Amino acid sequence: MYELVLRGGRIYDGSGMPSFVADLGVNSGRIAAIGRIQESGETELDVGGLAVAPGIIDFHTHFDAQIWWDPLGSSSNEHGVTTVVMGNCGLTLAPCKEEGRDALIGTFVRVEGMPRDSLNAGIPWEWKTHGDFLDALSRRRLGLNIATLVGHCAVRQFAMGEASVEREADDAEISQMEDLVRQGMAAGAFGFSTNSNQTHFREDGKPVPSRFASLDEIERLCRVVGASRRGAVQFTHGAFATPEHVAHISKWYDTILRETGRPLIGESIRHRWSEPDLWRNQLDDIAERWRRGFPSYAMTSTRRSVRLWNLRDGGRFNELPEWRRLASLPAPERLHSLRSDSVRRTLLSDMAAAGPAMDLSSRWHSVAIHKVRRAEHNEFEGKSIEEVSQLLGKTGMDAFLDFALADDLETVFEASITQGDDKAVAEIFQSPYVMLGQSDAGAHVASGHPGFGFGTLMLSHWVRERKIMTLEDAIRKLTFMPASIFGLYDRGLLRPGMAADIFVFDPAAIGLQKPCQVNDLPQGAPRYVQGARGIHYSIVNGAVLMRDGSHTGAYPGRVLRSQAA
């Protein structure tokens, strides 16, 4: 007798090997058998025709505050995520002295876009050390599994107080920080994170503490992780703006990798129309580190960054000479001119001459209709111009302008700033050195484009629709790869003896719902949430957490502690 049996699903075991149809049995929170199971289960789920995969591991979240008032970790819980890693970008709530609490909250307000009133009301402050933080979290009910990193900002604030945002540390202060990182690793943290992003400030306008750290300080703190022989180190920094910046960051990475021997998760790699070759240079840089024996990884987001605009104000095309001429005309004349074939040909020529950042005509698949004015056009919302042109039997430019003119130029369009070139995205996503998922889940809660659902988007848009990799490879990248890098050794695979973290979905139906605003933060503050379609079950430690998008009432999540503990 099994506690839980999943019958007849197609198993995608996380390894990347071909999928197969089998039953899966669970006992005591662990996978007990995979194959043809004759015994019955106390609970049986018919999952015939559905994909059965390891639970997604979201390795880059900022749930450090939210998890205290939202133990489900919504909306990640709705998207097949079963384990989250908190404490990224050097931003954590532990270790912390009582007098340092306000300063730490200030980093979350500004960098992570969280309301101060909600943070003040929702954080219980039952801890001082990182171990205290894990113990306090262990006393709470949890929907998801929680793994943590030791954050540099909190460590520096603890050791130096306000001097942490004024100067470099001296030897004694670095020694104290080393002890704090060592204590955190011993308590069960899965690594250390730091932040040198020049755009990251506290609420009071001062840089976050880790920005004042010298390379020697960061090297010594990362070396503590190396000495533990567990976990990873995670870096956050600004965009690669110049070759000098690339060389500077590469020097830091090489030093840390050489000194620690631990996996390093560094830069974010995305295709950007404004810098169309940068991603290739970044991938080459990482490949070179691997050739020298350094376990160096980058992150990428499955989400596109988009810009919203319409043709009534026209600012999107101010770089085009023909558009500047049109913009100077009275509105009726501009509308008349935009119907001219010769004007349209000139606009196409100007786009091509302006380069990839402006040439929408070469990528209508990445330009979509975000919002329409006329109700009869509602069916087109969310469709790309490529799709609309096919439906209407027109060229991309004609479909684009005809639709805008029918809406009196008030149609709101969206176009990708990043991840708009399918060929580049495929190479980035398929790289063995690139991790999928830079969700920031729990942060930027007032944004209309929340970070939840990166896995759902990967499996629906990039795998099913764009076909940039197989479903087996995508699931491996979302599960076994992050588990291996961080040392979550009993998760990320569907094998007997592994933890029964499982998500069950319909590959033909999985997709994102539209984001919507709710007022459920402490003190009634608003945030955006986003649900999923086509996800039938999320199972955490053998218990069904989510069924068809609804919480079952179970709280099977655990605080995970590294083997160093």
Side-chain angles (χ1 to χ4, degrees):
M1 171 75 74
Y2 293 94
E3 294 171 1
L4 174 67
V5 176
L6 281 65
R7 296 281 184 191
R10 178 166 287 276
I11 305 292
Y12 295 81
D13 69 4
S15 70
M17 294 194 302
S19 61
F20 56 94
V21 176
D23 305 327
L24 187 151
V26 174
N27 273 329
S28 302
R30 298 203 166 261
I31 297 170
I34 298 176
R36 181 171 296 177
I37 295 177
Q38 302 296 337
E39 299 94 328
S40 61
E42 295 176 21
T43 300
E44 298 217 4
L45 303 177
D46 180 359
V47 294
L50 302 177
V52 178
I56 292 173
I57 296 172
D58 189 348
F59 64 88
H60 193 96
T61 80
H62 293 284
F63 275 126
D64 306 63
Q66 180 182 327
I67 203 69
W68 294 99
W69 60 77
D70 175 17
L72 290 177
S74 62
S75 295
S76 291
N77 63 317
E78 298 183 44
H79 292 273
V81 171
T82 56
T83 298
V84 299
V85 180
M86 308 190 315
N88 290 278
C89 304
L91 302 173
T92 54
L93 296 174
C96 185
K97 299 175 182 176
E98 184 174 354
E99 60 270 25
R101 294 172 181 172
D102 188 72
L104 284 189
I105 283 179
T107 62
F108 280 76
V109 172
R110 182 80 174 265
V111 178
E112 306 302 347
M114 300 181 183
R116 171 171 277 278
D117 288 346
S118 297
L119 294 169
N120 283 334
I123 298 173
W125 292 117
E126 300 171 6
W127 57 83
K128 182 176 181 181
T129 69
H130 196 93
D132 295 339
F133 180 87
L134 295 178
D135 291 343
L137 200 54
S138 296
R139 293 192 290 269
R140 301 294 181 108
R141 61 182 188 178
L142 296 169
L144 305 179
N145 298 312
I146 306 296
T148 61
L149 303 176
V150 179
H152 196 178
C153 289
V155 165
R156 213 166 197 272
Q157 176 74 33
F158 192 101
M160 300 176 65
E162 276 302 282
S164 66
V165 293
E166 296 170 354
R167 61 173 174 80
E168 292 187 0
D170 60 31
D171 183 72
E173 290 163 337
I174 296 176
S175 293
Q176 185 179 359
M177 286 187 253
E178 288 176 304
D179 287 340
L180 293 168
V181 175
R182 191 174 295 110
Q183 291 167 16
M185 293 300 297
F190 284 84
F192 171 78
S193 69
T194 187
N195 186 334
S196 61
N197 191 322
Q198 294 184 350
T199 68
H200 285 184
F201 295 86
R202 294 193 320 191
E203 183 186 22
D204 60 7
K206 295 180 180 180
V208 295
S210 55
R211 283 181 52 191
F212 289 87
S214 65
L215 176 56
D216 177 62
E217 176 184 325
I218 294 175
E219 179 184 347
R220 287 172 61 177
L221 300 183
C222 290
R223 197 180 293 140
V224 174
V225 180
S228 76
R229 300 186 179 183
R230 299 288 188 274
V233 293
Q234 186 266 323
F235 275 65
T236 294
H237 52 73
F240 284 95
T242 65
E244 292 75 18
H245 191 194
V246 173
H248 173 71
I249 294 298
S250 293
K251 176 185 174 183
W252 280 45
Y253 288 177
D254 288 351
T255 300
I256 298 305
L257 286 161
R258 183 173 57 251
E259 291 295 324
T260 66
R262 300 307 306 163
L264 184 150
I265 303 163
E267 63 260 53
S268 171
I269 297 184
R270 307 185 196 194
H271 170 267
R272 292 173 168 83
W273 291 112
S274 59
E275 300 172 284
D277 299 321
L278 178 59
W279 65 273
R280 168 62 64 196
N281 297 333
Q282 290 178 285
L283 280 183
D284 290 345
D285 194 44
I286 296 173
E288 175 58 30
R289 291 192 206 114
W290 274 94
R291 280 191 286 271
R292 287 183 277 126
F294 295 151
S296 178
Y297 296 92
M299 302 177 286
T300 194
S301 174
T302 63
R303 288 182 175 271
R304 292 169 168 166
S305 298
V306 299
R307 178 183 296 170
L308 303 179
W309 40 272
N310 64 30
L311 293 184
R312 181 160 290 279
D313 61 44
R316 176 69 177 83
F317 298 120
N318 280 342
E319 293 182 36
L320 306 182
E322 178 67 358
W323 184 261
R324 290 199 298 270
R325 184 188 71 80
L326 293 169
S328 68
L329 300 175
E333 291 183 39
R334 188 192 313 169
L335 291 171
H336 178 74
S337 295
L338 284 170
R339 292 184 170 88
S340 163
D341 288 341
S342 64
V343 167
R344 294 183 179 195
R345 285 194 297 270
T346 303
L347 285 172
L348 282 170
S349 178
D350 285 355
M351 281 185 180
M358 290 296 297
D359 188 10
L360 302 184
S361 66
S362 65
R363 50 185 174 97
W364 290 120
H365 69 277
S366 68
V367 183
I369 296 171
H370 180 78
K371 184 71 176 176
V372 299
R373 196 189 72 154
R374 300 178 187 274
E376 61 265 31
H377 296 157
N378 285 346
E379 64 180 292
F380 293 98
E381 286 187 355
K383 287 184 167 55
S384 71
I385 297 302
E386 182 179 77
E387 293 174 299
V388 173
S389 69
Q390 292 170 355
L391 288 171
L392 301 180
K394 300 181 178 182
T395 67
M397 178 61 91
D398 287 340
F400 171 62
L401 290 178
D402 288 349
F403 200 94
L405 288 166
D407 234 1
D408 296 325
L409 302 188
E410 292 185 5
T411 309
V412 179
F413 297 97
E414 65 178 47
S416 66
I417 301 170
T418 66
Q419 309 295 52
D421 184 323
D422 284 2
K423 183 178 180 181
V425 170
E427 288 196 50
I428 294 169
F429 285 13
Q430 291 168 4
S431 168
Y433 320 126
V434 175
M435 303 175 71
L436 299 180
Q438 195 175 349
S439 76
D440 278 359
H444 319 301
V445 293
S447 168
H449 295 275
F452 310 115
F454 71 98
T456 299
L457 186 63
M458 180 67 201
L459 300 176
S460 58
H461 177 75
W462 296 112
V463 173
R464 184 180 65 229
E465 297 173 15
R466 308 311 296 183
K467 296 179 173 55
I468 69 169
M469 69 171 64
T470 66
L471 192 53
E472 285 90 345
D473 281 343
I475 289 171
R476 178 184 60 82
K477 293 275 249 179
L478 295 169
T479 59
F480 182 56
M481 184 176 182
S484 300
I485 292 168
F486 280 93
L488 298 161
Y489 297 125
D490 62 345
R491 295 167 206 273
L493 282 175
L494 300 183
R495 298 284 172 81
M498 303 290 280
D501 291 348
I502 304 165
F503 109 99
V504 180
F505 65 98
D506 182 348
I510 189 171
L512 294 171
Q513 296 180 0
K514 283 190 174 182
C516 63
Q517 192 177 61
V518 296
N519 293 81
D520 66 352
L521 291 179
Q523 304 298 303
R527 68 170 178 137
Y528 278 89
V529 296
Q530 185 169 27
R533 303 187 307 272
I535 297 181
H536 291 251
Y537 302 101
S538 289
I539 298 167
V540 178
N541 295 315
V544 178
L545 174 73
M546 304 293 296
R547 184 191 302 261
D548 295 325
S550 297
H551 180 216
T552 63
Y555 288 91
R558 292 173 42 206
V559 172
L560 305 181
R561 301 188 190 237
S562 71
Q563 293 185 16

